[in-house]
Amino acid sequence: MPWAAVIGSPIEHSLSPVLHRAAWEHTPIGSQGWDYRRIECDAQGLASLITGLDEHCRGLSVTMPCKQAIIPFLDVIDPLAQAVGSVNTLIPSGGVLTGFNTDVFGIERALHSVIPVGTHPRTAVILGSGATACSALAAVGTMGIRDIYVVARRFAGPNSVVVAASRLGITIHQILWNDDLQVIRALSMADIVVSTVPAHVCDSLAPHLADTHGRILLDVVYAPMTTDLVAAWRHGGGLIAHGLDMLIFQAIQQVRLMTGYDVHYEVMRHALERHREAATHAE
């Protein structure tokens, strides 16, 4: 039986099965018994997992902490994923393992969904420096934004956002997380802010966001749906690009890679809404 899975750690609350199963039901494979699983796997478990893939596997959705750790196990890496240094999709075909990055597409589409018609963002701030931050860097770069600030605790390391910026041909301004004045100044002038850090890490920034009118925030966190950062940004008049939209758009491209079929955004969005309603009633 053909199957696919989402891998990472922790993985039990991943919404990928909800999205992919809903998508499959709207394609010809919906009646063919395909299975989409969750597989708990950290970086240390990747070697065993990869070598154990069988001929029925159609793909893996890759989440943290495996997005960068999986790269050495691949035979081919899509040029965008190579430049970003982050893989969130593995496609096995003919014995060849190919890595792709659909996070860039997801971030770009989520941002575009709320950008007012006729406006052209010029400045972006990215909070964080991990795999998702590298994808965010590529996304805002693709949108033509060249004045980009990255806020992080450190910038060193072979998988850092600095290395990704170099491969992408993008110049970034580096701001250390503990430089409160510079962080707040950057946020106050940014047309777009993308937060790629875990929930509550940005809570201390919320009180400093008094006026965000017309500017855009994408917080990739979707549990909780409204972080302190999102609440403050919205209260200041800013526009919100939802982390769930990023999740849906990147999954649309994953489904295309795994099955060859296109699925409408509304199919996955409605599946998430039904899932959330069921979870609420179960509490």
Side-chain angles (χ1 to χ4, degrees):
M1 178 187 298
W3 64 277
V6 57
I7 67 170
S9 182
I11 204 65
E12 62 181 302
H13 298 299
S14 171
L15 293 175
S16 289
V18 176
L19 296 173
H20 284 260
R21 290 168 185 167
W24 292 356
E25 288 301 316
H26 286 76
T27 71
I29 67 174
S31 60
Q32 297 176 14
W34 281 44
D35 180 34
Y36 190 96
R37 314 165 183 171
R38 292 183 182 90
I39 299 177
E40 183 77 20
C41 180
D42 58 16
Q44 289 69 39
L46 276 172
S48 176
L49 175 67
I50 297 300
T51 57
L53 294 178
D54 60 38
E55 70 276 14
H56 300 295
C57 179
R58 297 295 184 264
L60 299 177
S61 305
V62 183
T63 64
M64 297 304 292
C66 300
K67 289 183 177 182
Q68 294 171 329
I70 200 170
I71 290 176
F73 299 99
L74 303 175
D75 301 305
V76 179
I77 304 177
D78 177 76
L80 176 60
Q82 182 76 62
V84 173
S86 174
V87 165
N88 78 322
T89 311
L90 180 152
I91 303 297
S93 178
V96 177
L97 304 179
T98 303
F100 296 88
N101 183 305
T102 70
D103 282 336
V104 175
F105 176 80
I107 293 169
E108 183 183 357
R109 286 298 303 274
L111 290 171
H112 271 300
S113 70
V114 297
I115 294 176
V117 175
T119 63
H120 303 284
R122 300 179 181 276
T123 305
V125 171
I126 298 170
L127 303 175
S129 61
T132 306
C134 294
S135 295
L137 177 64
V140 297
T142 299
M143 295 166 64
I145 298 173
R146 288 294 177 265
D147 196 9
I148 303 171
Y149 296 77
V150 178
V151 180
R153 288 187 171 84
R154 61 189 299 270
F155 290 92
N159 296 319
S160 73
V161 70
V162 174
V163 176
S166 177
R167 287 193 295 253
L168 290 163
I170 295 174
T171 300
I172 62 172
H173 308 284
Q174 301 177 29
I175 302 176
L176 289 174
W177 196 273
N178 60 5
D179 191 342
D180 295 341
L181 183 61
Q182 291 300 319
V183 173
I184 294 168
R185 181 178 297 168
L187 291 175
S188 69
M189 67 180 185
D191 298 317
I192 289 176
V193 173
V194 181
S195 175
T196 69
V197 298
H200 308 302
V201 170
C202 294
D203 286 359
S204 62
L205 297 176
H208 303 284
L209 302 175
D211 181 11
T212 59
H213 184 76
R215 300 187 289 124
I216 297 166
L217 168 68
L218 169 60
D219 190 337
V220 302
V221 171
Y222 51 83
M225 280 288 291
T226 302
T227 60
D228 285 1
L229 185 67
V230 168
W233 197 272
R234 182 181 288 120
H235 183 73
L239 304 172
I240 303 297
H242 293 284
L244 282 178
D245 282 341
M246 171 199 164
L247 187 69
I248 292 170
F249 285 124
Q250 65 82 30
I252 288 172
Q253 200 170 53
Q254 284 188 334
V255 170
R256 184 182 301 124
L257 289 167
M258 292 181 187
T259 72
Y261 294 106
D262 290 317
V263 178
H264 291 297
Y265 165 91
E266 289 77 10
V267 168
M268 292 186 174
R269 185 74 194 190
H270 291 159
L272 283 182
E273 290 171 356
R274 292 193 300 271
H275 175 78
R276 290 177 59 200
E277 288 174 2
T280 299
H281 292 319
E283 291 177 353

